[in-house]
Amino acid sequence: MARSPTSTVTNFALYGEAGHDVAPEFIHVERISARSSLYEWTISPHVHPGIFQILLLSEGPSLLVCENAEIALPPPCLVTIPCGAVHAFRFASEAKGWVLSVADALLADPRIAAPGTARLVREGVPQCLPLPGGALGDLGETLMRVLASEDAAGGPLGLASVALLLAGVEKIAGTASAPPAAPPDRRIALVRRFTALVEVRFRQHASVADYARQLGATPQTLTRACRFAVGKAPGEIAHERLLREAMRALAFSAASVTQVAHDLGFADPAYFSRFFKARTGQEPSRFRRERAWTAAHLP
């Protein structure tokens, strides 16, 4: 299959669903058949801005199409789909397995990030990883079932399940010898460098121009790359990182709202509260009451 022009590739949140902002802790899992059967087992070329996917194929030989390459998927196997990567599938009608979708930003979260995950995510191209006998199969099936259970994906059990899956993918990827299907897109590589820099500097509230200068790019180039890869402006990405850290601190630490604000570089706690409410619809104190990990120990 020839490479589809970028201008004609559809952006989806989940396939067939109109794109929308991806929540910083988005996790979704479903069976392969749940969506592909609705489209005669053929998933057309598309992109998921801001979403990283893992496909666990247990039955039914299928086909992955990415850029200008076609890759056979002999089960059992794992497929990794970095955000911003154009891809398509042709599934066998008897295909069985799972698709896990995770907010790309969440992969940097130390609660779930496996040491080698960055390589899988940042290469910018889909990969097929054969599953050797006994590798991840039964465990992966169990973890996917846990994630598919009601309310599991958004809680500690869901995060732990994703962490175990990523660790398993990392181990399998470390022994796989197959090269990536195509070189990474330079725009995606720039966005990866940007997000890595945001991880270091998000508390400093640096401007887009400052980030671009440090990356050796213009603000316009950085903005175009971010919109292509994740469908968001670089300022939004930096703010989401701040928000994710704020949510984590409010839910998992005993620091006061004022302490959290100062730790995140906000000189004015009131401004922090406005920043937080504008993006979550809740005051920080209310968010804490509803999401606190150990409410008995938090103010």
Side-chain angles (χ1 to χ4, degrees):
M1 178 182 292
R3 177 177 179 173
S4 301
T6 302
S7 61
T8 65
V9 174
T10 305
N11 287 354
F12 287 125
L14 298 175
Y15 187 81
E17 299 181 13
H20 54 75
D21 289 343
V22 177
E25 295 200 355
F26 173 81
I27 298 174
H28 176 83
V29 67
E30 65 183 24
R31 293 187 182 275
I32 290 174
S33 58
R35 199 167 299 259
S36 58
S37 63
L38 302 176
Y39 297 92
E40 298 182 346
W41 302 94
T42 297
I43 303 298
S44 301
H46 64 287
V47 173
H48 300 289
I51 293 176
F52 170 75
Q53 291 187 315
I54 295 174
L55 183 143
L56 176 60
L57 181 67
S58 56
E59 295 183 25
S62 301
L63 186 72
L64 165 67
V65 182
C66 56
E67 302 299 337
N68 61 347
E70 294 188 353
I71 302 173
L73 303 179
C77 68
L78 280 170
V79 179
T80 60
I81 309 288
C83 80
V86 179
H87 62 287
F89 289 103
R90 295 193 197 115
F91 290 109
S93 59
E94 66 272 22
K96 293 184 180 179
W98 299 87
V99 181
L100 171 66
S101 302
V102 181
D104 189 65
L106 186 59
L107 296 176
D109 192 310
R111 289 175 293 172
I112 70 171
T117 304
R119 181 181 66 81
L120 288 173
V121 177
R122 291 176 181 170
E123 282 182 342
V125 293
Q127 294 186 72
C128 174
L129 304 171
L131 281 175
L136 195 62
D138 292 341
L139 176 60
E141 175 76 18
T142 299
L143 293 173
M144 291 293 192
R145 287 178 181 274
V146 168
L147 285 163
S149 64
E150 186 176 0
D151 297 329
L157 186 58
L159 290 173
S161 298
V162 172
L164 285 171
L165 280 167
L166 289 174
V169 171
E170 177 200 349
K171 181 177 180 180
I172 294 166
T175 61
S177 59
D185 189 294
R186 285 181 294 179
R187 292 168 293 186
I188 296 175
L190 175 61
V191 173
R192 296 305 178 191
R193 291 170 53 215
F194 167 64
T195 55
L197 190 57
V198 167
E199 193 66 27
V200 175
R201 298 193 58 190
F202 68 89
R203 286 182 172 85
Q204 300 171 20
H205 299 230
S207 68
V208 173
D210 288 337
Y211 278 119
R213 189 181 308 112
Q214 192 162 349
L215 293 167
T218 67
Q220 294 80 8
T221 298
L222 179 59
T223 297
R224 285 194 296 268
C226 288
R227 290 199 179 281
F228 167 79
V230 297
K232 297 176 182 177
E236 293 178 81
I237 295 172
H239 284 163
E240 283 189 354
R241 182 62 186 90
L242 262 176
L243 177 63
R244 192 167 73 253
E245 193 68 20
M247 294 168 68
R248 182 187 306 163
L250 291 168
F252 297 101
S253 83
S256 69
V257 172
T258 297
Q259 289 172 325
V260 171
H262 288 160
D263 179 64
L264 294 178
F266 291 88
D268 182 4
Y271 177 65
F272 166 69
S273 293
R274 291 194 296 272
F275 168 88
F276 191 90
K277 184 175 182 180
R279 288 160 178 80
T280 65
Q282 294 180 311
E283 299 284 353
S285 56
R286 179 183 171 189
F287 176 87
R288 159 163 283 172
R289 286 195 300 270
E290 295 183 359
R291 296 283 295 273
W293 179 257
T294 52
H297 298 91
L298 298 176

